[in-house]
């Protein structure tokens, strides 16, 4: 089955049957390995923040109350984000959820990760404005989605698509998932 996803101005096709990626009619890379899926379903964790429920991956600490009253990256929010990104091998901060992305760029990254059979956590930044603003400062990256691999910021949609096409993303994920 072939799915078409869009990243910026470029159309990318993900062939789910053979995990190949094409740009237009040109094959730009495939993936033959099957990574161990470490995905755990997210659960509602912590108290509502500013009348918005915030989903954290299972076992993550709740969002600090101080983050709800501040628009900046507080020490408490930074500590929580450090724990979230270091406790999961692959984390995607996105608009929406992996089951229902609410932005084309988020959808593209989700489809790439799914096509690689990678277990990954997602956090919906639309449900907490303080988290959304704090993450921009935390990563020094102004847009979403934001992909973290092995505790490090990897990039947004365009970087992820390019790394997928070149095979860099598959190599990195294979190395991280096997460690």
């Amino acid at each position: 089955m072939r799915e078409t996803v869009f990243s910026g101005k470029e159309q990318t096709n993900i062939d789910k049957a053979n995990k190949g990626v094409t740009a237009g009619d040109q094959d730009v890379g495939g993936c033959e390995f099957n990574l161990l899926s470490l995905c755990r379903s997210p659960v509602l964790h912590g108290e509502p923040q500013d009348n918005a429920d915030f989903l954290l991956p299972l076992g993550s600490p709740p969002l600090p109350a101080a983050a709800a009253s501040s628009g900046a990256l507080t020490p408490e929010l930074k500590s929580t984000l450090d724990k979230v990104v270091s406790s999961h091998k692959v984390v995607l901060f996105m608009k929406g959820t992996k089951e229902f992305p609410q932005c084309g760029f988020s959808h593209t990254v989700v489809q790439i990760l799914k096509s690689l059979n990678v277990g990954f956590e997602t956090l919906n930044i639309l449900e907490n404005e303080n988290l959304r603003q704090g993450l921009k400062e935390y990563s020094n990256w102004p847009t979403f989605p934001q992909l973290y691999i092995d505790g490090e910021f990897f990039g947004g949609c365009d970087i992820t698509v390019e790394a997928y096409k070149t095979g860099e993303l598959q190599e990195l994920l294979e190395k991280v998932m096997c460690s």
Side-chain angles (χ1 to χ4, degrees), residues 76-178:
E76 295 85 5
L77 179 56
K78 182 184 180 313
S79 175
T80 298
L81 291 172
D82 286 341
K83 289 175 186 172
V84 169
V85 301
S86 65
S87 64
H88 304 284
K89 293 193 181 217
V90 182
V91 179
L92 181 63
F93 293 92
M94 62 179 284
K95 294 178 181 178
T97 65
K98 68 174 103 176
E99 294 81 19
F100 187 67
Q102 295 182 6
C103 141
F105 299 111
S106 293
H107 175 77
T108 297
V109 176
V110 166
Q111 291 306 309
I112 287 172
L113 294 173
K114 283 183 175 181
S115 76
L116 294 173
N117 294 319
V118 175
F120 63 101
E121 298 294 335
T122 61
L123 289 101
N124 184 356
I125 55 97
L126 294 176
E127 294 184 353
N128 187 298
E129 185 62 25
N130 296 310
L131 171 68
R132 183 178 183 174
Q133 295 307 319
L135 267 167
K136 292 177 183 182
E137 190 176 332
Y138 181 78
S139 64
N140 198 26
W141 193 259
T143 60
F144 293 93
Q146 293 183 6
L147 180 62
Y148 287 77
I149 299 174
D150 204 23
E152 299 290 326
F153 177 64
F154 182 78
C157 182
D158 290 342
I159 291 170
T160 302
V161 168
E162 186 60 32
Y164 183 72
K165 289 178 183 179
T166 65
E168 176 189 352
L169 181 61
Q170 294 92 322
E171 290 175 22
L172 175 62
L173 289 171
E174 184 175 43
K175 178 181 171 185
V176 166
M177 299 306 269
C178 292

